[in-house]
Amino acid sequence: ASGLLSLSFKTQEMTETAHETNGHGYLGTFVGKNGRLAILRVHSHALVTIDLQCYEEDNIAQLDNLLNALETKLKVILNGNITRIKRLPALVRGAEVDRYWPTADGRLVEYDMDQIVYEEDSAYQNIKILHSQQYGNVLILDNDLNLAESDLAYTQAIMGSGRENYAGKEVLILGGGDGGILFEMVKQKPKMITIVYIDQKVIDACKKYMRGTCGNILDNLKGDCYQILVEDCVPVLKKYVQEGKTFDYVINDLTAIPISTQPEEDSTWEFLRLILDLSIKVLHPSGKYFTQGNAETLTEALSLYEEQLGKLSCPVAFSKEVTCVPSYLEHYCGPALWNKLPDDLRSITTVSTFKSIFRTLIFSQAFD
Amino acid sequence: ASGLLSLSFKTQEMTETAHETNGHGYLGTFVGKNGRLAILRVHSHALVTIDLQCYEEDNIAQLDNLLNALETKLKVILNGNITRIKRLPALVRGAEVDRYWPTADGRLVEYDMDQIVYEEDSAYQNIKILHSQQYGNVLILDNDLNLAESDLAYTQAIMGSGRENYAGKEVLILGGGDGGILFEMVKQKPKMITIVYIDQKVIDACKKYMRGTCGNILDNLKGDCYQILVEDCVPVLKKYVQEGKTFDYVINDLTAIPISTQPEEDSTWEFLRLILDLSIKVLHPSGKYFTQGNAETLTEALSLYEEQLGKLSCPVAFSKEVTCVPSYLEHYCGPALWNKLPDDLRSITTVSTFKSIFRTLIFSQAFD
């Protein structure tokens, strides 16, 4: 069988090398003059895999025809005893715009990004804004997909999914440099929203390129009912604790892997606990705290988080909500898991969200 | 540089073959005794790609370490002049459960399917129901992802997103064998819902394994206000036209590539037009027709569809709506494009939705 398949590559003027595999079936590589490479494996456990690599300027239709011919030939050789035939889209490597942003649980996902809108390294992180046909501009911090212009659903969820009334309230937002929460919340006329965000460059980039998310709200760092403090939130929180200042709402919209100028704690978990503890201390006794719950599939991380709640300096009520964020491609858009929370207790709600050029044509075939 | 990198594979007891590339840079393949294969390419346009293939039972941690070592070595060799380093999750081939279901616009997407719940070939199509951690059970017809238990949003959208009142109405559903629309619609107490669906095996499979979508509604083919006709819809529609029977609503939930026992028309487009024309003929003069508009990124297909509307036997009003369906991973969850439709004209609404094992570790690096 491998001989017959090999022939298909040889007729394309590709040079065969048959490799010694120590009992792991047939493995042949075929190199063409135009940089093409084919890898044909007939595995000992009834699986045939074919990888085809080529340059962008190659004749893709010709390669598709080659794969079609191989598929037909395999069907004949195997007398139709084929369990599954699968051909995958090509992986593109070395392209200007990177379209592969794997999910938090390690799955390979190709987006439809077609343009680098902005890229810069700040003192804190790598900032990228890429354009996607479906999601509009997408903010990517340290190669972690943060938010797209399509993701109003995320902003609404972390604001309590329309169940909260922010009119006349004091609100503290940790993170939120994209301006999404701020832009939505000012519409409700709170008494004062204070945003503490560390990275001026992110604010400037979003102001310019994420207007689908922040509208014009980042044009000024101060407005009638809001102020943006471009600072590390840890010392600010400590100052508020010292002053005895409290808020009706604290919304933690910090990036999944937090950044601080003063990393006092060893691990991410301890840092998260520090933020949580300080936040609860500045929360009014009937106040509410909203935060991301990380990826919904990462149930282990979520249980660890719940464990942290037991270690807080004051008792809290806890609820969870799962939401579907368009650009994340991995949120379960399921029913909200809202318990009725007691009004006389500080409450914590996690909004679970999932994150996460050179050409290879992939083909595999399993047979009985 | 290639020599230094080659050494890393050789220390893993992998046998090198350097291939002649006709000026396309260095291309080396390295084969290990355990079935491992590494492909190292140093392309002439400042790109290094490394593909690593191994069997499932291989030592993955060791391979990750090997990639780490290569990355470190490359940074040294290139004096840190690296534009981008990217390592992608492994592609798994030959696994029992296929997790790769590319989107309609040809992008590679890996799902979190972990179990084959059901698989059978009916007289009409291949039917698969796979379990996904995020989306529940997922119905896949002829390798096209149809609907998951998480996708109430699709059902709601194709029913008019809550803007329609079905109480006391006559409704015809073409397709819809998963029972999702039926289950939701009976709650509104219409006068009569008639479903015409061709494939009994799909109904039976959904009744058993897609209860998150259909509840108990498929347990009986007939109820107080509904009937399911297990037939090809074309002759049924023709009979209704002949009898002069009309409906307040026609919902076309047929699969993207339609199935008929009597294919009279040459192309998919002509078949779609036949269905559309017959549907409009059985639509009450102020009735409404809802249908899928295919993938939102496939704007060309959508324009072609709109073109068909001009060829209908009676004038219609037309509106579009875009919705976000959790399991499809490619819908833009954008604002609905609803125009106010005239009440005295048959109206058509398209709901745009997008569709769409052996291990290779993928690594590439571009440098200045």
Side-chain angles (χ1 to χ4, degrees):
Chain A
S2 59
L4 284 167
L5 294 173
S6 298
L7 211 60
S8 306
F9 295 111
K10 286 184 199 155
T11 56
Q12 298 287 325
E13 298 190 355
M14 295 173 87
T15 308
E16 178 179 15
T17 309
H19 301 267
E20 168 57 45
T21 63
N22 263 61
H24 285 87
Y26 168 83
L27 165 55
T29 52
F30 301 82
V31 180
K33 286 182 179 156
N34 42 9
R36 281 188 196 168
L37 167 66
I39 300 141
L40 170 63
R41 301 189 77 152
V42 182
H43 302 270
S44 47
H45 55 291
L47 177 73
V48 174
T49 58
I50 296 165
D51 301 335
L52 211 45
Q53 299 190 343
C54 68
Y55 287 97
E56 202 182 8
E57 61 273 16
D58 204 331
N59 186 338
I60 305 300
Q62 194 185 65
L63 288 169
D64 279 337
N65 286 339
L66 178 59
L67 286 176
N68 291 341
L70 287 166
E71 192 172 319
T72 308
K73 204 167 276 187
L74 269 169
K75 281 179 183 162
V76 173
I77 294 170
L78 299 168
N79 283 319
N81 286 328
I82 291 172
T83 313
R84 195 198 303 160
I85 294 177
K86 187 85 179 187
R87 210 184 288 188
L88 292 178
L91 283 170
V92 179
R93 285 181 277 178
E96 197 201 346
V97 185
D98 187 359
R99 293 160 60 101
Y100 303 96
W101 301 100
T103 62
D105 58 345
R107 289 178 291 110
L108 181 59
V109 175
E110 179 184 356
Y111 281 79
D112 64 348
M113 276 94 168
D114 54 8
Q115 203 193 324
I116 301 171
V117 174
Y118 173 90
E119 178 159 17
E120 206 170 319
D121 287 311
S122 75
Y124 308 104
Q125 56 203 331
N126 173 269
I127 310 164
K128 270 193 272 290
I129 296 179
L130 304 186
H131 178 263
S132 144
Q133 285 177 55
Q134 289 180 68
Y135 305 119
N137 285 342
V138 184
L139 176 66
I140 296 170
L141 298 176
D142 276 347
N143 292 317
D144 185 34
L145 199 149
N146 262 249
L147 196 81
E149 287 186 299
S150 60
D151 297 347
L152 179 60
Y154 170 78
T155 302
Q156 287 171 333
I158 205 159
M159 282 173 63
S161 301
R163 284 180 298 262
E164 304 303 321
N165 178 3
Y166 290 98
K169 298 292 167 63
E170 282 269 3
V171 184
L172 177 65
I173 300 173
L174 310 174
D178 53 62
I181 301 172
L182 184 60
F183 182 55
E184 292 307 313
M185 200 179 279
V186 292
K187 296 173 186 169
Q188 292 194 30
K189 309 221 173 298
K191 188 176 165 198
M192 178 53 71
I193 306 168
T194 303
I195 288 201
V196 191
Y197 190 75
I198 201 167
D199 197 340
Q200 178 78 51
K201 273 200 199 297
V202 171
I203 295 174
D204 290 342
C206 292
K207 175 169 73 182
K208 202 158 171 192
Y209 301 113
M210 297 285 292
R211 290 183 89 86
T213 295
C214 64
N216 60 0
I217 203 73
L218 296 178
D219 291 356
N220 300 294
L221 289 181
K222 238 181 146 101
D224 278 350
C225 64
Y226 75 90
Q227 57 174 339
I228 301 173
L229 310 177
V230 185
E231 291 182 54
D232 182 350
C233 70
V234 176
V236 175
L237 279 166
K238 286 185 174 169
K239 193 190 71 181
Y240 287 153
V241 171
Q242 213 164 13
E243 294 170 0
K245 180 158 179 58
T246 61
F247 296 87
D248 300 302
Y249 290 94
V250 176
I251 297 182
N252 178 346
D253 189 32
L254 295 169
T255 47
I257 296 143
I259 294 164
S260 170
T261 52
Q262 307 180 324
E264 300 173 24
E265 309 291 334
D266 292 340
S267 75
T268 302
W269 279 113
E270 284 178 35
F271 182 83
L272 289 178
R273 188 152 61 96
L274 172 69
I275 297 284
L276 185 58
D277 207 34
L278 288 169
S279 298
I280 298 302
K281 281 179 180 156
V282 301
L283 201 58
H284 189 272
S286 65
K288 290 187 179 180
Y289 177 81
F290 287 99
T291 185
Q292 290 182 47
N294 295 318
E296 212 250 335
T297 38
L298 301 178
T299 46
E300 203 183 326
L302 215 51
S303 329
L304 276 170
Y305 186 84
E306 288 179 45
E307 218 179 281
Q308 302 296 323
L309 299 179
K311 300 179 187 167
L312 288 174
S313 50
C314 60
V316 296
F318 178 61
S319 72
K320 283 185 276 192
E321 174 158 359
V322 182
T323 196
C324 178
V325 178
S327 82
Y328 288 5
L329 299 190
E330 51 175 329
H331 298 222
Y332 175 45
C333 188
L337 303 172
W338 262 79
N339 308 320
K340 174 111 188 71
L341 294 175
D343 288 337
D344 58 347
L345 203 63
R346 293 171 181 87
S347 76
I348 294 181
T349 301
T350 63
V351 177
S352 279
T353 54
F354 296 61
K355 306 275 181 74
S356 15
I357 299 177
F358 176 72
R359 216 175 151 98
T360 306
L361 303 163
I362 295 133
F363 177 95
S364 64
Q365 183 149 344
F367 52 88
D368 291 328
Chain B
S2 59
L4 284 167
L5 294 172
S6 299
L7 210 60
S8 305
F9 295 111
K10 287 186 198 155
T11 56
Q12 299 286 326
E13 298 190 353
M14 295 174 87
T15 308
E16 178 178 12
T17 308
H19 302 266
E20 169 57 46
T21 63
N22 264 60
H24 286 86
Y26 167 83
L27 164 56
T29 53
F30 301 83
V31 180
K33 287 181 179 157
N34 43 9
R36 279 187 197 168
L37 167 66
I39 301 140
L40 170 63
R41 302 189 75 151
V42 182
H43 302 269
S44 46
H45 55 289
L47 175 72
V48 174
T49 59
I50 296 166
D51 301 336
L52 211 45
Q53 298 190 344
C54 68
Y55 286 98
E56 201 181 9
E57 61 274 15
D58 204 332
N59 186 338
I60 305 299
Q62 194 184 66
L63 289 169
D64 279 336
N65 286 339
L66 178 59
L67 286 177
N68 292 340
L70 287 165
E71 191 172 322
T72 308
K73 205 167 275 186
L74 269 169
K75 281 179 183 163
V76 173
I77 294 170
L78 300 168
N79 283 320
N81 287 329
I82 292 171
T83 314
R84 193 198 305 160
I85 294 177
K86 186 83 176 186
R87 210 183 288 189
L88 292 179
L91 282 171
V92 179
R93 285 181 276 178
E96 198 202 344
V97 185
D98 187 359
R99 293 159 59 101
Y100 302 96
W101 302 99
T103 61
D105 59 346
R107 288 177 293 111
L108 181 59
V109 175
E110 179 184 356
Y111 281 79
D112 63 349
M113 276 95 168
D114 53 9
Q115 204 193 324
I116 300 171
V117 174
Y118 173 91
E119 177 158 19
E120 208 172 316
D121 287 311
S122 74
Y124 308 104
Q125 56 203 332
N126 173 269
I127 310 164
K128 270 194 272 289
I129 296 179
L130 304 185
H131 178 262
S132 143
Q133 285 176 54
Q134 290 179 68
Y135 306 119
N137 286 341
V138 184
L139 176 67
I140 296 170
L141 298 176
D142 276 346
N143 292 317
D144 186 33
L145 200 149
N146 261 250
L147 196 80
E149 287 186 299
S150 60
D151 297 348
L152 179 60
Y154 170 77
T155 302
Q156 287 171 334
I158 205 159
M159 282 174 63
S161 301
R163 284 179 297 262
E164 303 304 320
N165 179 3
Y166 290 97
K169 297 293 167 60
E170 283 269 4
V171 184
L172 177 65
I173 300 173
L174 309 175
D178 54 61
I181 301 172
L182 184 60
F183 183 55
E184 293 307 312
M185 202 180 277
V186 292
K187 297 173 186 170
Q188 292 194 30
K189 309 220 175 302
K191 187 175 167 199
M192 178 53 72
I193 306 167
T194 302
I195 289 201
V196 191
Y197 189 75
I198 200 168
D199 196 340
Q200 178 77 51
K201 273 200 200 296
V202 171
I203 295 174
D204 290 342
C206 291
K207 174 169 75 181
K208 205 160 170 189
Y209 301 113
M210 296 286 292
R211 289 184 89 86
T213 295
C214 62
N216 60 0
I217 203 72
L218 296 178
D219 292 356
N220 299 295
L221 288 181
K222 239 181 146 100
D224 279 350
C225 63
Y226 74 91
Q227 56 174 341
I228 301 174
L229 311 177
V230 185
E231 291 181 53
D232 183 349
C233 69
V234 176
V236 175
L237 280 167
K238 286 186 173 168
K239 194 189 69 179
Y240 287 153
V241 171
Q242 212 165 12
E243 293 170 359
K245 181 159 177 58
T246 61
F247 296 87
D248 301 301
Y249 290 94
V250 176
I251 297 184
N252 178 347
D253 189 32
L254 295 169
T255 47
I257 296 143
I259 293 164
S260 171
T261 52
Q262 306 180 325
E264 301 173 24
E265 309 290 333
D266 292 340
S267 75
T268 302
W269 279 114
E270 283 179 36
F271 183 83
L272 289 178
R273 189 151 61 95
L274 171 70
I275 297 284
L276 186 58
D277 208 33
L278 288 169
S279 298
I280 298 302
K281 280 179 181 155
V282 301
L283 201 58
H284 188 271
S286 64
K288 290 188 178 179
Y289 177 80
F290 287 98
T291 185
Q292 291 181 46
N294 296 318
E296 211 250 335
T297 39
L298 302 178
T299 45
E300 202 183 329
L302 215 51
S303 329
L304 276 170
Y305 186 84
E306 287 179 47
E307 217 180 282
Q308 302 297 322
L309 298 180
K311 300 178 187 165
L312 287 175
S313 49
C314 59
V316 296
F318 178 61
S319 72
K320 283 186 277 191
E321 173 158 0
V322 181
T323 195
C324 176
V325 178
S327 81
Y328 288 5
L329 300 190
E330 50 176 330
H331 299 221
Y332 174 45
C333 188
L337 303 172
W338 262 79
N339 308 321
K340 173 110 189 71
L341 294 174
D343 288 336
D344 58 346
L345 203 63
R346 293 172 182 86
S347 76
I348 293 180
T349 302
T350 62
V351 176
S352 280
T353 55
F354 297 62
K355 307 267 181 85
S356 1
I357 300 194
F358 178 72
R359 218 176 151 94
T360 307
L361 304 162
I362 297 132
F363 177 96
S364 64
Q365 184 149 344
F367 50 89
D368 291 327

